[in-house]
Amino acid sequence: MTKKVLTKFVRVAFTASAGLPLIFAANAFAQLPAPAVPAAPGAPAPSAEVERVVVTGSNIPTAEETGPNPVDTYRPQDIEKLGIRNATDLTTFIPQEAGGTVNQNMGNGGDGSVQVNLRGLLAKETLVLIDGKRVAYGSLNTAGISGGPDIQLIPFPMVDHIDILKDGASAVYGSDAIAGVVNFFLVHKFRGLEIGGTYGNTNAGASNDMGEWEVWLKAGTGDDKTDIVVIADFYQRTGGLFSRDRDISSNGFFIPFGGFDARSGNFPGRVQGTRLIPSLFFSANTPPPHSAPNAATSPFYVNPFTLRPPVQGGFPDFKGGGNYFFYNFAAVTPALPPADRQVYYGSFTRDL
């Protein structure tokens, strides 16, 4: 009984397997295209239509740590919303800026320039580009240890947008971009005429005020192939604001404010531990003729401590003894130095 069943099952299986190739062959012949009909004599040859294919992605595998570098973009409307009016404001308000920065507000240690200093490193570690190209040395670069470009020579009316690569990009740009990259894209296409200006003043009833103004003119024309843009920018900080213009900073003697005496012991008229007597310090006869072999025996030089400053709160009131005891450098140092700048810009582009 068992033998008969197995024989019947083998026969059925063989019949089914033999019929499958015939079924597949029939389907294959049914899907073949119909033979082309020959064109009539003299008729034009048919044109082949190609469907357009748009690739929107890629399946090429990459490492997980490989990706686009983060770039922050600031456009004129973004800069305006942040209240940024000049390059010094830009380096003060943007979060990518860190550490000490040379800018126009530095009266001690600054040179009037404004330098980008990402990550708090030296300005020379931040690469500054204009339209994606490196700044030529000597055009915007400043002298000194930092060696960063002076970005205030790129006024905002000239800027289309600013890209800040806040991560190190030395693998792409070299050692100049250890701290990051700041790319200024200038205006190359503009239609019409724009005249703008800003003005600000520090007058709040203090002993001195300072005005700051900027005006610019932007004009552009062109067609579908040509673009011409010209820009003129004028900026001035009138007068400046000095340390002596505010009571809290008018003297380096900070003991009354809970600090220390920061005045300098080096000043004109000082010879080692002695100095000119107060009556001759601002005299027309300064320096007096040499009437003694040395300062120690000269009647025109005295020991500063002989001025006997009064004692207040346990500390000698050196300020009460006048600035003849030490040199008050705050009398001549600027808190906000004056500045003056004129920039002219022109762009001509032509599509060939």
Side-chain angles (χ1 to χ4, degrees):
M1 182 66 182
T2 304
K3 183 177 181 182
K4 293 181 179 180
V5 172
L6 292 176
T7 304
K8 185 177 181 180
F9 175 78
V10 170
R11 291 177 180 176
V12 173
F14 176 78
T15 303
S17 62
L20 285 177
L22 300 178
I23 296 174
F24 291 153
N27 290 338
F29 284 112
Q31 294 179 0
L32 289 177
V37 179
S47 60
E49 295 183 0
V50 179
E51 184 180 358
R52 182 179 181 182
V53 178
V54 179
V55 179
T56 59
S58 174
N59 287 328
I60 301 176
T62 58
E64 295 182 358
E65 62 272 11
T66 302
N69 292 326
V71 176
D72 292 340
T73 300
Y74 293 88
R75 300 191 178 277
Q77 55 268 28
D78 303 324
I79 294 175
E80 183 178 357
K81 290 179 180 179
L82 292 174
I84 297 175
R85 296 293 180 231
N86 49 51
T88 297
D89 295 341
L90 180 67
T91 59
T92 304
F93 294 158
I94 60 175
Q96 298 85 354
E97 185 79 13
T101 303
V102 177
N103 57 48
Q104 192 173 272
N105 291 339
M106 293 185 62
N108 186 10
D111 55 3
S113 64
V114 181
Q115 304 174 18
V116 182
N117 185 9
L118 300 181
R119 296 176 171 268
L121 302 177
L122 292 177
K124 65 180 181 179
E125 310 297 346
T126 299
L127 179 61
V128 176
L129 306 177
I130 297 180
D131 289 333
K133 300 178 179 61
R134 295 174 183 263
V135 176
Y137 189 84
S139 57
L140 297 181
N141 290 71
T142 58
I145 300 176
S146 58
D150 184 7
I151 64 171
Q152 75 167 342
L153 298 180
I154 314 173
F156 291 144
M158 291 169 44
V159 177
D160 180 78
H161 65 278
I162 303 173
D163 285 348
I164 299 179
L165 177 59
K166 52 191 176 182
D167 286 349
S170 57
V172 179
Y173 295 98
S175 59
D176 295 340
I178 292 177
V181 182
V182 180
N183 197 350
F184 291 87
F185 289 91
L186 305 183
V187 176
H188 295 286
K189 185 176 183 179
F190 184 76
R191 298 291 185 270
L193 176 65
E194 176 183 309
I195 301 176
T198 61
Y199 178 79
N201 195 285
T202 62
N203 189 0
S207 57
N208 187 27
D209 62 348
M210 179 193 70
E212 186 178 71
W213 60 267
E214 180 179 8
V215 295
W216 65 86
L217 184 147
K218 181 191 299 184
T221 185
D223 51 27
D224 57 343
K225 292 186 177 181
T226 305
D227 292 289
I228 302 174
V229 180
V230 292
I231 300 174
D233 181 89
F234 306 91
Y235 168 85
Q236 187 175 13
R237 178 183 282 178
T238 59
L241 193 65
F242 289 80
S243 301
R244 61 177 179 269
D245 296 328
R246 299 294 185 265
D247 181 66
I248 195 173
S249 60
S250 61
N251 201 298
F253 182 74
F254 296 118
I255 292 179
F257 300 102
F260 56 93
D261 193 350
R263 292 178 295 181
S264 174
N266 298 317
F267 47 84
R270 176 180 178 272
V271 178
Q272 295 181 349
T274 62
R275 58 152 305 131
L276 282 172
I277 59 177
S279 60
L280 291 176
F281 189 71
F282 295 107
S283 171
N285 296 325
T286 303
H290 298 283
S291 59
N294 51 56
T297 59
S298 173
F300 302 110
Y301 287 87
V302 295
N303 190 322
F305 290 95
T306 60
L307 297 177
R308 301 174 184 267
V311 177
Q312 294 182 0
F315 294 95
D317 184 14
F318 297 137
K319 184 178 180 182
N323 287 322
Y324 304 108
F325 192 89
F326 288 116
Y327 175 64
N328 179 30
F329 59 86
V332 294
T333 55
L336 296 174
D340 186 12
R341 182 190 70 224
Q342 298 88 33
V343 178
Y344 304 93
Y345 167 77
S347 172
F348 174 83
T349 58
R350 172 73 176 178
D351 293 337
L352 301 179

